[in-house]
Amino acid sequence: MDLPELPGFKFGAGDMFGPPGLYLDSSSSEPDFGFAFNDRNFSDRLLRIEIMAPGSNPGAEGFGSISDWARRRKRRREESGNQSSSSLNVSDVLAGAEEQVLTNEKPDMDEGEAMIQEAFAGSDDEDDVTNAPNWGFESFDYSGVERVRELHISSPILAAKSPFFYKLFSNGMLESGQRHATLLINASEEAAFMELLNFIYTNTVSVTTAPALLDLLMAADKFEVASCMRYCSRLLRDQPMTTESALLYLDLPSTVIVAASVQPLTDSAKKFLAARHKDITKFPEEFMSLTLAGIEAVLSSDDLEVASEDAVYDLVLKWARARYSSLEVRREILGSRLARSIRFPFMTCRKLRKVLTCSDFDHELASKLALEALFFKTEAPHKQRSLAAEESASEHRRLVERAYKYRPVKVLEFEFPTPHCVVYLDLKREECIGLFPSGRIFSQAFHLGGQGFFLSAHCNMDQQSADHCFGLFLGMQEKGSMGFGVDYEFSARSSPSEEFESKYKGNYTFTGGKAIGYRNLFGIPWTSFVEEEDNVNFINGILHLKAELTVRRSTDP
């Protein structure tokens, strides 16, 4: 079809939104056609907007207002035993349209059908009707139409911004000589739809509140006005973020949330939640009330301040059990969504054993996750770093280590001829530098002979030289008062041989809460330990430590 040229527009086959059509000239600023809005002198169509009475079509799933959608979401959560989210109110915007109020005069079904037939007139191809855009007629009871608004519109202006209107106006209407189109909307959609038309003409909006902008965003999605979606997304990002608003942005309908124009908004929401819950223990009740999307946003962070990945697993399981009472539903959510947020390779072997017997996970999936984690643990450190780097750009960073409060360790356990274990602890150079002047880094717990132990790296004062130095200690967790004798040896890998060299060995009878070690493991001052040039202790920026423990004897204190 031939469309008239308008200033600021181009027509051609290099289409922006599907079929050959109309699009804005990127070389010029977007024109303001506000003067032409609802002006018959600059319009070639009459748009008839039929507005459904509130509540006349409760089963319809149109975009509605954000408050309607939030209330439906809340009701469904309450019905399924889930937490609810707060609903938002919408303010009315934009008047000035020619309005007809129908009092005691409602079209019957035949009239409604006639409107559809007129809209599709001019096409003899049945496929045109089948493939035509959804104009809001589906699932509506036409007896519920409360009033009508009529607007003078310019089809090129609307078609330039919206593939929806492009298809509407190019569906045989010119050939049939028709100059009117009919849309049927809910009363809750009216304000946002009118604001959308205003944006199409003026490239700006008059609403500023988050609820009204969200309504407009959903209307723009329904009527395929991508530029308006970007505009609303930008305005929402500029507003102060709260936990409630962040959750609302992440729980928008799937058609909205997957749009590229909305991604910056959802990314901001995820970053806000991840930062607010960086320390999960800070707001425990709020954490437990987060939605599924909110939980995923928090757990996606590498900077999560948590004791270990074991603690992440326990929290996820606790949240899922509180949120989903049905075991079948819980398994589905854990398997399809939350398992991707747990970094199983950094869990301890003892906890991985519990994963294998956990009824909340499908057994086949649990076995697969545990096996993958164990294979990763057996890889050499450089291979682990390579695998983590490959996955670092993906959304689910299962192989990327978080900033755990307790550093992960590799443990080899032997039961015969006597209980014995070899523990490997790797520390980054920047982590060690951060210990100065009196910091500590604790490892995750490991077990020997039924007792829990840990390693701790210190920056402390050498008692003889009064210099700061690097120390390594072995401690036993609080568990009873019976003595537990252990032979131990500390080693470190150094250049150029890159072999482990023994630094300190001894034996000690532990009781709960006791620790033993060496205040100056390398026998050098702190400045020499962390120097950059000719440093033999850090290999590619990593300090490799090893502790070997053997049960010596167990005696009463």
Side-chain angles (χ1 to χ4, degrees):
M1 76 179 185
D2 296 326
L3 292 175
E5 293 284 351
L6 288 175
F9 290 88
K10 283 185 178 180
F11 298 84
D15 60 303
M16 292 176 63
F17 41 72
L22 180 64
Y23 58 92
L24 285 172
D25 184 355
S26 59
S27 64
S28 61
S29 60
E30 295 202 7
D32 183 351
F33 292 117
F35 66 89
F37 182 64
N38 197 31
D39 190 318
R40 67 174 68 243
N41 295 317
F42 299 98
S43 304
D44 64 337
R45 294 283 195 278
L46 186 67
L47 181 64
R48 178 184 173 91
I49 307 170
E50 298 189 347
I51 302 167
M52 301 287 291
S56 61
N57 188 36
E61 291 294 336
F63 77 83
S65 70
I66 197 68
S67 56
D68 292 338
W69 172 77
R71 281 194 292 269
R72 287 198 302 270
R73 181 163 151 266
K74 177 179 179 180
R75 184 175 64 252
R76 289 170 182 169
R77 283 181 176 166
E78 289 174 343
E79 290 172 354
S80 62
N82 293 342
Q83 299 284 345
S84 63
S85 65
S86 299
S87 61
L88 299 172
N89 297 320
V90 180
S91 58
D92 294 331
V93 294
L94 194 62
E98 293 183 10
E99 182 173 312
Q100 254 184 334
V101 179
L102 304 183
T103 56
N104 300 322
E105 182 182 351
K106 299 178 180 178
D108 56 21
M109 286 300 295
D110 291 337
E111 291 174 332
E113 292 171 0
M115 284 188 285
I116 298 177
Q117 292 171 359
E118 289 173 5
F120 286 103
S123 174
D124 296 328
D125 189 347
E126 291 183 0
D127 288 339
D128 285 345
V129 177
T130 303
N131 298 325
N134 175 10
W135 295 353
F137 292 111
E138 293 182 337
S139 304
F140 283 111
D141 176 5
Y142 292 96
S143 63
V145 174
E146 181 183 58
R147 55 196 172 87
V148 173
R149 300 181 77 160
E150 292 185 343
L151 294 171
H152 295 286
I153 59 171
S154 171
S155 58
I157 294 176
L158 268 65
K161 288 285 185 70
S162 165
F164 175 93
F165 284 110
Y166 175 87
K167 289 179 283 188
L168 174 63
F169 297 136
S170 62
N171 194 51
M173 292 185 65
L174 284 179
E175 290 77 0
S176 66
Q178 292 188 12
R179 287 294 180 268
H180 73 271
T182 302
L183 290 178
L184 189 63
I185 64 175
N186 282 315
S188 59
E189 300 174 298
E190 181 181 359
F193 180 69
M194 295 301 296
E195 188 66 44
L196 179 64
L197 292 178
N198 177 61
F199 176 86
I200 290 175
Y201 274 82
T202 66
N203 302 304
T204 187
V205 299
S206 61
V207 296
T208 57
T209 65
L213 287 170
L214 279 170
D215 280 343
L216 180 55
L217 177 66
M218 295 176 72
D221 173 70
K222 179 175 181 179
F223 293 99
E224 304 176 62
V225 186
S227 57
C228 186
M229 294 182 71
R230 286 192 297 272
Y231 192 92
C232 293
S233 177
R234 184 170 65 252
L235 291 181
L236 287 168
R237 291 200 312 274
D238 291 340
Q239 297 197 0
M241 189 80 72
T242 66
T243 298
E244 182 183 51
S245 63
L247 293 177
L248 195 56
Y249 300 154
L250 294 180
D251 283 343
L252 285 169
S254 58
T255 56
V256 179
I257 206 167
V258 298
S261 55
V262 183
Q263 286 300 305
L265 177 62
T266 55
D267 288 345
S268 295
K270 291 177 182 178
K271 290 179 181 178
F272 171 84
L273 291 174
R276 179 170 176 80
H277 294 279
K278 183 177 181 179
D279 183 352
I280 292 182
T281 62
K282 191 173 182 179
F283 305 107
E285 293 183 1
E286 183 178 303
F287 178 83
M288 291 301 295
S289 68
L290 292 177
T291 63
L292 176 59
I295 290 290
E296 289 178 315
V298 172
L299 299 184
S300 67
S301 173
D302 297 340
D303 299 323
L304 199 64
E305 292 180 356
V306 64
S308 65
E309 199 66 27
D310 289 5
V312 173
Y313 171 82
D314 290 336
L315 278 170
V316 169
L317 210 56
K318 180 180 179 181
W319 180 88
R321 287 170 176 171
R323 183 58 63 98
Y324 305 102
S325 57
S326 167
L327 177 60
E328 182 179 355
V329 174
R330 191 160 65 247
R331 278 186 174 180
E332 169 62 24
I333 294 297
L334 286 169
S336 63
R337 300 282 294 272
L338 291 177
R340 297 179 297 182
S341 299
I342 303 173
R343 304 185 184 186
F344 290 91
F346 298 100
M347 291 171 57
T348 64
C349 292
R350 290 172 66 89
K351 184 64 72 172
L352 287 173
R353 293 191 191 101
K354 293 185 178 180
V355 174
L356 291 172
T357 59
C358 180
S359 61
D360 298 271
F361 282 88
D362 175 77
H363 180 69
E364 183 177 349
L365 174 64
S367 300
K368 178 176 179 293
L369 293 171
L371 189 61
E372 288 178 348
L374 291 172
F375 272 123
F376 181 80
K377 287 178 179 292
T378 62
E379 297 285 3
H382 70 87
K383 180 63 174 178
Q384 291 179 346
R385 290 192 293 272
S386 175
L387 292 171
E390 292 176 4
E391 196 186 57
S392 60
S394 66
E395 182 179 357
H396 303 289
R397 300 156 62 85
R398 297 177 304 107
L399 304 181
V400 179
E401 189 174 325
R402 303 187 201 268
Y404 300 112
K405 293 179 181 178
Y406 303 115
R407 302 290 296 143
V409 291
K410 279 187 175 182
V411 183
L412 298 177
E413 298 183 52
F414 305 92
E415 292 294 332
F416 301 101
T418 183
H420 174 78
C421 70
V422 182
V423 184
Y424 297 91
L425 173 64
D426 293 345
L427 299 176
K428 298 177 183 177
R429 184 173 178 275
E430 51 267 30
E431 290 178 315
C432 293
I433 293 176
L435 291 174
F436 186 85
S438 57
R440 298 182 180 186
I441 293 178
F442 294 94
S443 79
Q444 293 179 359
F446 54 91
H447 293 78
L448 174 68
Q451 298 292 330
F453 290 86
F454 62 89
L455 294 174
S456 61
H458 296 218
C459 176
N460 41 222
M461 194 76 72
D462 188 297
Q463 293 178 337
Q464 294 182 351
S465 65
D467 292 328
H468 286 90
C469 53
F470 179 86
L472 185 64
F473 293 81
L474 171 68
M476 191 172 84
Q477 293 179 318
E478 297 278 358
K479 188 175 182 181
S481 58
M482 180 171 291
F484 193 86
V486 174
D487 292 327
Y488 61 91
E489 180 178 6
F490 295 155
S491 304
R493 183 177 283 169
S494 60
S495 300
S497 67
E498 297 190 358
E499 297 292 334
F500 279 103
E501 298 178 2
S502 177
K503 298 295 182 182
Y504 184 74
K505 64 173 59 179
N507 57 73
Y508 187 71
T509 300
F510 287 89
T511 56
K514 298 295 183 180
I516 190 69
Y518 197 58
R519 297 181 65 86
N520 191 348
L521 185 68
F522 296 97
I524 56 177
W526 183 262
T527 52
S528 300
F529 169 67
V530 297
E531 65 182 359
E532 291 191 46
E533 296 183 4
D534 301 324
N535 194 320
V536 299
N537 299 311
F538 291 91
I539 302 175
N540 296 323
I542 302 295
L543 177 67
H544 301 273
L545 302 172
K546 181 177 73 170
E548 293 190 55
L549 285 69
T550 304
V551 174
R552 180 168 53 88
R553 70 173 186 272
S554 181
T555 60
D556 293 331

